[in-house]
Amino acid sequence: MKIAVIGTGYVGLVQGVGLAEKGHEVVCVDIDKEKIEKLKQGISPIYEPGLDELIEKNIKAKQLSFSTDLASSINGAKAIFIGVGTPQGEGGAADLSYVYTVAREIGESMKEYSVIINKSTVPVGSAKKVADIIKENYDNEFDVVSNPEFLREGMAVSDVMNPDRVVIGTNSKTAKKIMEEIYKDFDCPKVFVTPESAELIKYASNAFLATKISFINEIAGICERVGADVKEVSEGMGLDKRIGDKFLEAGLGYGGSCFPKDTRALHQIANLNNYEFKILKSVIEVNNNQKRLIREKIKKTFPDMRGKIFAVWGLAFKPDTDDVRESPAINLIRWLIGRGVKVRACDPIAIENAKSHLPHEVEYFDSPYDAASGADAVVVITDWNHFKEIDKNLLKEVLGEHNIFDGRNIFDPREMKELGFNYHGIGRRV
Ligand code: UGA
């Protein structure tokens, strides 16, 4: 099927590439000329394992092309995916201006029936709003479908190719048929619902996962006060199949471009509909506090930290991505610098992205050992394997003072203590 995908960010690009790989003829469209030129040469604008190879393969097979011209790209396309950004806007609500601009352009350029598919994360009622905007300039038949995306950064290719489920929100039989054809080679349950339910499934899923994280972070707080260990507690809880072992890792809270934004947006949707979403309000509050928790631990060991040297391991909001949006590293480093600490930051791939968010005093290192050399403390922000697999004896040799603040619980506190480190985890028993 000929398919156009508008927007080549995480969602649009990986979706477009995935559909091409499944045999559709896909054109990906973006207004950013430089990005499109690079993509035409097979260069991905984002770091995502496996993506470059698939782009190159599908360009060669003529299944995938890139363009800046929306009008000609949607010509003849049976399906048009909208995968542009929905950043946080006023009062926490999602800013839909990019989605609406694309909808307007589609309405101006469409020549025959198409299904317009909302992949971007949008508030309930947006499918209808998009349809209204298209109708302003196009008065023949078309359908708007809500088809939310559940991919994780760092796992985007495998999540798109092998999703747990595909959610399709539509009331139209014609659109349902086209959606079935698009996803016929995806081996997973297809959930057909109304557009409103589909839109809410996306927010509810992210909010629920965020709730699991804030919940275990609160349990970690209790663990610290009663002498329990949160790793042991989450293992014991997670073996109950009704609970599951995923998203029960305590640490510095959730970051990234999705959970913080989507939890705030869902809270705002509830407010606007005169519903007080009490649990979600607490989830957000707990997460905000969690990001600052490590400061209290640092202050206890270093009441005066002026002139101290800190190695900060990890700048990305999570491993396997170079994304630093809402990463706890950013505010922590600013806070340390503000207190006169010399910060040496280390990350396998996120240094370039982090630089523009951080004060100029920060020094950057590729090697965690070099960053830690002669330092007074190591603060672990991201649970990269790179750090988990560190040679602890060598680390001990190079460190000046043996303080470890482990914001992701990557080390075993008992082992660290035996090795002579002054170890601080989140909710751990030493
Ligand atoms: C998240 C969802 O997992 C995807 O399903 C969804 O499609 C995506 O948002 C989106 O809406 O676009 P992502 O933001 O890539 O994906 O990251 P996750 O892997 O879900 O992690 C989010 C944050 O939670 C990270 O900061 C991670 O460190 C933190 N986390 C995760 C924990 O603190 N504890 C855990 O147990 C798990």
Side-chain angles (χ1 to χ4, degrees), residues 150-151 153 202 206 213 247-249 254-255 258 317-318:
F150 301 100
L151 65 80
E153 288 186 20
K202 169 67 192 187
N206 273 1
I213 298 171
F247 280 69
L248 282 182
E249 279 176 42
Y254 57 79
C258 303
F317 82 94
K318 67 169 191 177

Side-chain angles (χ1 to χ4, degrees), residues 380-398:
V380 181
I381 303 287
T382 321
D383 38 344
W384 283 101
N385 280 340
H386 202 61
F387 304 140
K388 286 182 186 167
E389 290 157 3
I390 211 85
D391 177 338
K392 296 177 194 89
N393 288 311
L394 184 55
L395 176 63
K396 191 156 175 239
E397 254 174 54
V398 300

Side-chain angles (χ1 to χ4, degrees), residues 11 121 149-154 159 165 202 206 209 213 216-217 246-259 262 317-319 383 408:
V11 170
T121 301
E149 182 50 63
F150 301 100
L151 65 80
R152 291 162 294 175
E153 288 186 20
D159 283 349
R165 79 298 207 186
K202 169 67 192 187
N206 273 1
L209 291 169
I213 298 171
I216 201 66
N217 280 331
K246 307 282 189 298
F247 280 69
L248 282 182
E249 279 176 42
L252 295 179
Y254 57 79
S257 63
C258 303
F259 285 177
D262 292 351
F317 82 94
K318 67 169 191 177
D383 38 344
R408 296 291 173 188

Side-chain angles (χ1 to χ4, degrees), residues 246-382:
K246 307 282 189 298
F247 280 69
L248 282 182
E249 279 176 42
L252 295 179
Y254 57 79
S257 63
C258 303
F259 285 177
K261 168 172 80 74
D262 292 351
T263 44
R264 289 193 282 257
L266 181 55
H267 189 250
Q268 180 72 354
I269 290 170
N271 274 346
L272 291 173
N273 288 282
N274 301 318
Y275 188 85
E276 199 193 347
F277 200 153
K278 295 194 192 99
I279 292 181
L280 194 57
K281 187 166 178 251
S282 302
V283 166
I284 296 166
E285 232 172 78
V286 168
N287 197 60
N288 290 340
N289 291 340
Q290 204 66 21
K291 284 187 177 170
R292 289 190 287 266
L293 190 71
I294 204 123
R295 298 183 191 178
E296 300 309 315
K297 293 177 189 277
I298 293 172
K299 274 199 289 196
K300 259 193 196 159
T301 307
F302 296 97
D304 180 10
M305 50 193 101
R306 237 167 312 152
K308 300 286 178 199
I309 302 171
F310 275 42
V312 174
W313 284 3
L315 297 168
F317 82 94
K318 67 169 191 177
D320 297 319
T321 177
D322 60 356
D323 196 340
V324 299
R325 283 175 287 180
E326 302 248 5
S327 166
I330 306 298
N331 282 342
L332 178 82
I333 291 177
R334 288 188 189 142
W335 180 81
L336 288 170
I337 296 271
R339 269 147 197 82
V341 172
K342 292 196 177 100
V343 173
R344 298 176 174 178
C346 168
D347 192 286
I349 56 170
I351 288 177
E352 278 317 308
N353 279 351
K355 275 184 181 166
S356 58
H357 300 273
L358 291 173
H360 67 272
E361 295 96 320
V362 179
E363 286 182 85
Y364 298 93
F365 294 81
D366 290 325
S367 151
Y369 301 104
D370 289 347
S373 179
D376 296 287
V378 169
V379 189
V380 181
I381 303 287
T382 321

